[in-house]
Amino acid sequence: MKRIPADGRIKQLEKEKQKAIEDGNNNLRNKIQRTINKYVHDIRSEVFGGLKQNSRDFWAVIKSIRGPKDDCKMTIDSKFGSDLSDYFGRFNSSRDKDTSISPLPAACHFPLLNVNEVSKQFQKVKNGVACGSDGLPWWVFKFFHTELAPVYTYIFQGSILKSDIPCLWKNALTTPVPKVKIPSCVNDFRPIDLGSIAFNSLQKILLPKLMDYIEKVGDDM
């Protein structure tokens, strides 16, 4: 189940939104979009609420949403696609740029993470934010923060203690977004990098901890 199927209500709202766009009525368009977002949110809450009581169905949903996307995309020829790949991938072509990090010394008492703070951070994930290389969308963390928090807390803590970031989190999906209506060259695109929502959440959790730790043990410079 990769997404909530559109029912009659959503289809009608989409038609009204399209009419507002054609009429140039941005206020009405935004109002309708907010109505759609709330309607979809309510449906997801109802559908996914039952999954929290069935771990098998829950993990089946997680597996199903990580498959290849079949969304409509702009069609370009292979030569232009190769040019885009070379242009935007030139900064990430070498693995030698990874920085080697030494494990934390035994005397280092960096504060451990707990399940509650991970769960709270997952609840703060912005609605509609695009997913990254792990393929997990925002609503998975939003709706299933209680179920996912213990798993990710274990992964986060292991990554910190071993000073080893999972390879998947080091990668980002670079999406070329057209800057003009009809792009004709690579300079007509801007790159949008999409990282893992889980890793972004970890960074937000660690930032205040690191700031406090630096203030306590850092040099007076």
Side-chain angles (χ1 to χ4, degrees):
M1 183 172 59
K2 296 180 183 178
R3 63 183 61 189
I4 297 296
D7 60 10
R9 173 62 173 160
I10 294 178
K11 291 178 180 178
Q12 180 60 37
L13 288 170
E14 288 290 353
K15 290 180 180 179
E16 293 177 8
K17 186 180 76 170
Q18 184 60 38
K19 180 65 166 56
I21 293 174
E22 293 172 355
D23 294 341
N25 192 335
N26 292 331
N27 289 333
L28 179 59
R29 180 199 63 183
N30 294 337
K31 181 179 179 181
I32 295 174
Q33 185 60 58
R34 288 193 294 270
T35 302
I36 293 174
N37 293 343
K38 184 180 184 304
Y39 184 73
V40 172
H41 182 276
D42 292 342
I43 292 178
R44 280 179 173 151
S45 298
E46 181 179 351
V47 172
F48 299 146
L51 295 178
K52 295 186 176 183
Q53 310 302 323
N54 190 320
S55 60
R56 177 175 295 181
D57 289 347
F58 165 71
W59 288 110
V61 169
I62 298 299
K63 291 178 181 178
S64 72
I65 60 179
R66 298 194 66 189
K69 301 277 179 24
D70 55 2
D71 299 340
C72 295
K73 297 179 174 64
M74 177 185 295
T75 301
I76 58 176
D77 61 63
S78 58
K79 174 64 169 60
F80 193 23
S82 179
D83 291 342
L84 283 173
S85 179
D86 293 340
Y87 185 75
F88 291 118
R90 65 191 189 279
F91 302 110
N92 302 313
S93 59
S94 175
R95 292 182 175 269
D96 297 334
K97 296 181 180 179
D98 285 349
T99 302
S100 157
I101 305 176
S102 301
L104 292 174
C108 177
H109 300 290
F110 189 80
L112 300 178
L113 305 183
N114 64 69
V115 174
N116 288 335
E117 62 184 338
V118 173
S119 178
K120 289 179 180 178
Q121 186 59 51
F122 284 167
Q123 292 180 68
K124 296 178 182 178
V125 172
K126 291 184 179 179
N127 292 358
V129 65
C131 61
S133 52
D134 56 13
L136 293 176
W138 64 270
W139 51 263
V140 169
F141 297 95
K142 200 87 167 178
F143 285 98
F144 300 119
H145 58 88
T146 302
E147 291 74 19
L148 292 177
V151 178
Y152 273 100
T153 301
Y154 179 81
I155 296 173
F156 289 164
Q157 196 63 60
S159 177
I160 294 171
L161 294 177
K162 295 179 181 179
S163 298
D164 184 17
I165 300 174
C167 292
L168 189 62
W169 291 353
K170 297 179 184 179
N171 298 325
L173 299 178
T174 301
T175 303
V177 177
K179 294 186 284 188
V180 296
K181 188 173 183 180
I182 304 178
S184 59
C185 65
V186 293
N187 286 323
D188 288 338
F189 292 84
R190 67 168 57 90
I192 302 297
D193 290 333
L194 305 176
S196 165
I197 293 177
F199 189 43
N200 289 340
S201 298
L202 173 60
Q203 294 177 71
K204 292 178 180 178
I205 294 172
L206 288 182
L207 179 59
K209 294 179 179 292
L210 286 172
M211 296 299 292
D212 291 342
Y213 185 77
I214 290 173
E215 288 182 2
K216 292 178 181 178
V217 303
D219 296 331
D220 296 329
M221 298 294 290

